[in-house]
Amino acid sequence: MERKKQAQPSLFRILVVDDAEDAREVIHTHLEDAGYMVRTCASVAEALLAVESSVFDIIITDLRMPKASGLELIQHVRNTLEDIEVMMITGYPSIEGAIEAIKTGAEHYLPKPFTERELLEAVRAIVEKLVRKRLAHGQSISGQTYGIVGESAAMQHVFKLIDKAGDNTATVQISGESGTGKELVARAIHYVGKRRSSPFVSVNCTAIPENLIESELFGHVKGAFTGAGTARSGFFEIADGGTLFLDEIGDASLAMQGKLLRAIQEKAIYKVGSSRPLHIDTRLICATNKNLKQLIEKGLFREDLYYRINVIDISLPPLREREDDLLLLMNHFRAKFAKDTGRPAPFFSDEALRQLMLYHWPGNVRELENLVQKLVLICEGDTIELVDLPSTLKPAVGVGKRLDRSLAEYEAEYIHEVLGSVHGNKTKAAAILKIDRKTLREKISNRYQKNEIKS
Ligand SMILES: Nc1ncnc2c1ncn2[C@@H]1O[C@H](COP(=O)(O)OP(=O)(O)OP(=O)(O)O)[C@@H](O)[C@H]1O
Ligand SMILES: [Mg+2]
């Protein structure tokens, strides 16, 4: 059975170079399941192009490949790039090869064949080293302090809670409207605490099919059910020592809620097909944009689970209630996206700024980020004018802000606009919207059914 890809990228980017497709894919799958961002290349030539155009934290390369060998790649990386760790893997383990690899600058060496566990342990050790190195140089892990911008009283309070949560393993519940930064906060809690060098595994509760809940969460033993040809770890086990982020917990089915509650209460999981409890040390962070208390009243959310996950409660206010942060965020995104264009960051005209301040931001920070990105990209002069703003933001006659549209309507319209701006290219649209292509496809097909997106 195909495993659905639900673990989402951690902040560490890994390049895997191997001419053997099978090996490449196995490593790719293991690393991606563990939450890393992974890119693969089949040759040194391809890898050299990749390291020039993108940033990686770790390179895992095979030694023997046709044409150029892994040693050439290592040499190149050592001469041109700092702050990147290289691990050599090889199917012909020889002392000479290992010595040569280390001499050339591959600090890490993993002989083939290796198990998933051996691979992940080796990578984890490298990540730990990178984290230590970067902290020692005063860099924060993501290039910014948690990557979270905000000075409002509400956000100051959130930062305090992140610090507090980082210190311990209590379950955290993050609530807030869509696009307010819930996932960002979850990652910050993980990376600020001791668990930072272990995986951060992000799982969307709505993405797990009902009949697979148990095996996806807890794993299964070989032969547990038809199609279970091999044993497999579940998300709890993959995130052992690290953090399991359960996104959209408010949408978890009652069956899933029951299973989660048991795992939390017993601090142990049972793999499907096994009666042996497996003790795991996985920190849970849950997020939702729903009101769980209301769901409890309607009988859709278990009250006992609510109290278990709500030990530390972080609530992210909508952007319209964070006026102090709005300018700060606009400036932050303005500078961030200008960097990508290589031009100086454009300014906002007073009228444009006023309009942006008046707007009610139903899509919160995500909407602001996407808008500023678009404005910076299309801006030709040094100022973003009122006319550059999309019509949804411009004042309707006599009305400063529109407060009459549903979020679904707004979203459909916005998706439509973004798709238009990239000529219908879904990969590009998904990248701008910062959702994956599958989610985009689902949103489009939902809306098509309701006739809300026409393109
Ligand atoms: N305070 C902030 N500073 C900088 N970037 C932010 C901030 N808040 C949110 N963002 C950015 O806005 C986007 C949306 O944030 P995130 O995905 O964390 O929101 P969310 O609450 O999980 O949304 P959803 O409910 O839709 O899943 C991301 O690109 C994130 O980096
Ligand atoms: Mg989210």
Side-chain angles (χ1 to χ4, degrees), residues 376-396:
V376 168
L377 280 177
I378 57 168
C379 179
E380 286 175 352
D382 57 3
T383 310
I384 296 167
E385 305 284 356
L386 187 59
V387 293
D388 298 327
L389 303 185
S391 55
T392 41
L393 250 80
K394 283 183 202 148

Side-chain angles (χ1 to χ4, degrees), residues 147-150 155 176-185 247 289 322 329 332-333 365-366 369 434:
I148 304 177
V149 176
M155 288 310 288
E177 288 179 13
S178 179
T180 44
K182 296 186 291 295
E183 174 138 12
L184 205 59
V185 168
D247 205 359
N289 54 19
R322 282 192 249 161
L329 279 160
H332 167 75
F333 292 132
V365 186
R366 178 182 292 112
E369 180 175 19
K434 300 224 163 58

Side-chain angles (χ1 to χ4, degrees), residues 47 102 168 188-190 421 425:
I102 305 264
N168 60 57
I189 293 170
H190 175 78
S421 75
N425 182 323

